[in-house]
Amino acid sequence: MLEEIYQRFPSFQVVGDRAFKPGLGNMMALEEALGHPSRDFRAVHIAGTNGKGSVSHMIASALMSFPGQSGNLRVGLYTSPHLVDFRERIKVDGQMVEKEWVFNFLKDHKDLFEKTDASFFEITTAMAFSYFSYRKVDVAVIECGLGGRLDSTNIISPLASVITNIGFDHMQYLGNSLEEIAAEKAGIIKPGIPAIIGETSGVERVFIDKASNCCTDIYFAEKLNPYNLSPDGAFRSFSHREIDVREEALKSTISLATCLLASVDPGRMDLKGDCQKKNIKTVCTALSVILRKMLDESQKDLSESTLADMVEAIENAAHITGLRGRWEKLGDAPLVICDIGHNSHGMKVLMPQVERTYKEHNNGRLIMFFGVMKDKDLAAEVGFLPKDAHYLYVNASTPRALPASDLKVKMDEFGFTGEIPVDGSISSGLQWIKENTKPEDFVFIGGSSYVVAEVLAKIDE
């Protein structure tokens, strides 16, 4: 049944442009036909160019440790794309949706999807909302698929709207300037619902104007400092409520955020990428906003034991939620690391960590197991890629992948050195690694989330 849905309603992950359907009309029709499942749970909405997945998983992990009315909160998590198993997209308390439930949902609503000519992402979003309703989750962390304003997930009314950062990606849909892209992402900011911005990326004014128009509070995570309980400019309030009272409440939220940030030990986190140093500020700020609302409603204080449990949950988020592909170690001799970073904004942070790891490693070679999609702006990325590496050019098994032969031609023109393993497939690349590397080498696998996904699938076979 799932394969049939893939064929009838192909995903952006597989075919790209052909699967992209901007607008909320279809999603609203599906939501109504299914009985408005998104109204049955509270939500946290997350957009951004990079870091959405990590931030979503850390927030979900932390909320799973927060006490509810009977036991800890039951937490849903909806993210995309998946790496190995489709069901990674939809989880409750870190566990993937059951295969039988997916099968029955698709079978029962096939006529509805055909009638509305729904996109793959609209179907999976409807599936996630319906599953979270069925499982009676207390709160769901919902990650945007692409953009924000016209993303299928943008029919929810969340507890908080989170935007991780702004960079150049999917420009054919979102705009050619950071301001245009930011405006699309800021489309998830709604009246009266607090907004958290991870990195302003030079377009702070776009977010401030949107928050002002929505008459809501906005928090800037990058201004958070664990040694300063009230960082200057860490929040702006556009509420009509009494400003003195409002500012005290906002300062209290910032104090909680700094307390969380000061308690998390980056060295203990199982998410090891350099980007997590920025993501953790976003996570702590978002959690402080969400928790302050929950604590106010329950008229309780955050106990030391609950704070400790949440910190531990953040530090072990990958293990608790099953997140993969973020600076994940796949081998020790040679050292093999994979990461799904795949655009210039992400490469700018990721590649210095690759080069630093190589220099700290043994005196072997740096081997870049590298593949990209046809629609990626390779010219914008190559300036961040290490020149003193041997590149292994591969292409994932998707029509969107740039053939390894074409990639080699382009990389040769940019002055890089490398080769194509046999037919350029992921399998032949992995075989090349087995036969041609030494224990002291460092192999980095990346360039595209599809490359990482296929590698993980091969390793898990």
Side-chain angles (χ1 to χ4, degrees):
M1 178 62 70
L2 184 58
E3 186 58 37
E4 184 179 344
I5 292 294
Y6 268 125
Q7 294 297 326
R8 172 66 179 82
F9 308 96
S11 69
F12 182 85
Q13 188 173 3
V14 175
V15 301
D17 291 7
R18 186 158 55 90
F20 181 64
K21 292 184 178 181
L24 301 178
N26 258 14
M27 193 63 227
M28 293 173 71
L30 292 177
E31 170 80 358
E32 182 176 4
L34 294 169
H36 298 285
S38 71
R39 297 178 183 177
D40 295 337
F41 53 85
R42 309 178 92 174
V44 181
H45 204 189
I46 301 178
T49 300
N50 289 305
K52 298 189 300 293
S54 296
V55 167
S56 296
H57 283 76
M58 282 190 274
I59 290 176
S61 185
L63 290 176
M64 285 163 55
S65 70
F66 189 78
Q69 291 185 343
S70 56
N72 289 349
L73 295 178
R74 177 173 289 179
V75 180
L77 178 61
Y78 178 49
T79 59
S80 61
H82 64 275
L83 292 180
V84 178
D85 188 326
F86 166 82
R87 298 179 302 132
E88 295 169 27
R89 295 169 179 251
I90 305 171
K91 297 178 181 179
V92 170
D93 290 345
Q95 301 301 309
M96 294 188 292
V97 58
E98 299 86 356
K99 291 181 179 179
E100 184 179 7
W101 196 93
V102 172
F103 177 85
N104 288 334
F105 179 83
L106 295 176
K107 180 185 67 175
D108 293 344
H109 302 293
K110 181 181 177 183
D111 290 345
L112 171 63
F113 301 146
E114 291 182 343
K115 177 183 177 181
T116 56
D117 192 27
S119 71
F120 180 87
F121 190 72
E122 288 167 342
I123 293 172
T124 55
T125 301
M127 182 189 299
F129 291 173
S130 296
Y131 185 65
F132 296 154
S133 172
Y134 164 73
R135 290 294 308 276
K136 295 180 169 57
V137 303
D138 296 297
V139 61
V141 181
I142 308 294
E143 178 190 341
C144 285
L146 194 157
R149 181 176 64 91
L150 299 177
D151 188 78
S152 300
T153 62
N154 203 28
I155 63 170
I156 60 175
S157 181
L159 291 167
S161 301
V162 183
I163 300 173
T164 57
N165 50 51
I166 301 297
F168 288 111
D169 200 14
H170 300 301
M171 289 146 58
Q172 64 271 45
Y173 312 115
L174 305 180
N176 294 314
S177 69
L178 290 181
E179 287 79 9
E180 290 176 327
I181 296 171
E184 289 297 317
K185 307 283 187 185
I188 70 168
I189 299 176
K190 298 178 175 68
I193 295 173
I196 296 92
I197 310 301
E199 300 172 58
T200 54
S201 308
V203 289
E204 181 175 341
R205 176 49 55 186
V206 174
F207 302 122
I208 290 176
D209 288 347
K210 179 66 175 181
S212 176
N213 291 338
C214 289
C215 194
T216 193
D217 303 327
I218 185 168
Y219 298 81
F220 300 104
E222 65 187 357
K223 299 180 186 294
L224 203 62
N225 186 326
Y227 307 106
N228 182 354
L229 295 183
S230 295
D232 183 44
F235 62 82
R236 292 281 297 275
S237 178
F238 298 98
S239 169
H240 288 312
R241 285 168 283 182
E242 292 182 33
I243 192 65
D244 290 342
V245 175
R246 191 72 197 126
E247 288 216 0
E248 284 304 312
L250 293 170
K251 287 178 181 178
S252 175
T253 302
I254 290 296
S255 295
L256 177 54
T258 55
C259 181
L260 274 171
L261 181 61
S263 301
V264 174
D265 182 353
R268 294 173 59 90
M269 289 176 58
D270 59 6
L271 290 170
K272 299 296 185 182
D274 284 356
C275 59
Q276 305 305 342
K277 297 173 184 177
K278 295 182 178 180
N279 287 339
I280 193 61
K281 287 190 174 186
T282 308
V283 169
C284 291
T285 308
L287 282 171
S288 70
V289 172
I290 299 162
L291 295 179
R292 179 53 60 196
K293 185 174 182 63
M294 291 182 173
L295 291 168
D296 288 347
E297 290 175 350
S298 63
Q299 296 184 334
K300 295 180 180 179
D301 293 323
L302 183 65
S303 68
E304 290 186 10
S305 61
T306 298
L307 175 63
D309 289 343
M310 296 187 76
V311 168
E312 183 177 357
I314 293 170
E315 292 174 349
N316 294 280
H319 173 73
I320 291 171
T321 62
L323 179 62
R324 302 192 66 183
R326 277 72 171 179
W327 199 258
E328 181 176 349
K329 182 190 288 188
L330 304 179
D332 288 297
L335 175 63
V336 181
I337 298 285
C338 71
D339 195 283
I340 64 168
H342 60 277
N343 52 42
S344 58
H345 186 266
M347 290 292 185
K348 185 177 180 179
V349 177
L350 179 59
M351 287 303 113
Q353 186 172 9
V354 169
E355 298 204 63
R356 186 179 70 249
T357 302
Y358 171 53
K359 291 175 182 177
E360 293 171 351
H361 198 55
N362 296 328
N363 297 319
R365 293 181 297 171
L366 171 57
I367 298 168
M368 297 288 290
F369 189 105
F370 191 68
V372 300
M373 297 296 104
K374 294 175 182 175
D375 55 359
K376 286 300 176 183
D377 184 4
L378 189 60
E381 297 180 12
V382 292
F384 303 112
L385 298 175
K387 282 286 184 69
D388 58 342
H390 183 76
Y391 283 76
L392 201 62
Y393 302 120
V394 296
N395 51 253
S397 301
T398 170
R400 286 186 62 205
L402 181 67
S405 56
D406 294 346
L407 177 57
K408 184 179 186 304
V409 170
K410 290 177 179 289
M411 293 295 281
D412 284 349
E413 292 174 352
F414 287 121
F416 293 85
T417 302
E419 63 182 283
I420 303 172
V422 190
D423 59 359
S425 67
I426 299 298
S427 294
S428 64
L430 291 174
Q431 188 62 35
W432 188 98
I433 296 245
K434 288 182 180 179
E435 296 175 353
N436 295 279
T437 57
K438 297 179 181 179
E440 62 268 24
D441 290 337
F442 170 36
V443 180
F444 177 79
I445 297 174
S448 166
S449 58
Y450 305 96
V451 169
V452 172
E454 195 168 335
V455 166
L456 293 176
K458 297 289 183 185
I459 290 174
D460 290 348
E461 285 179 352

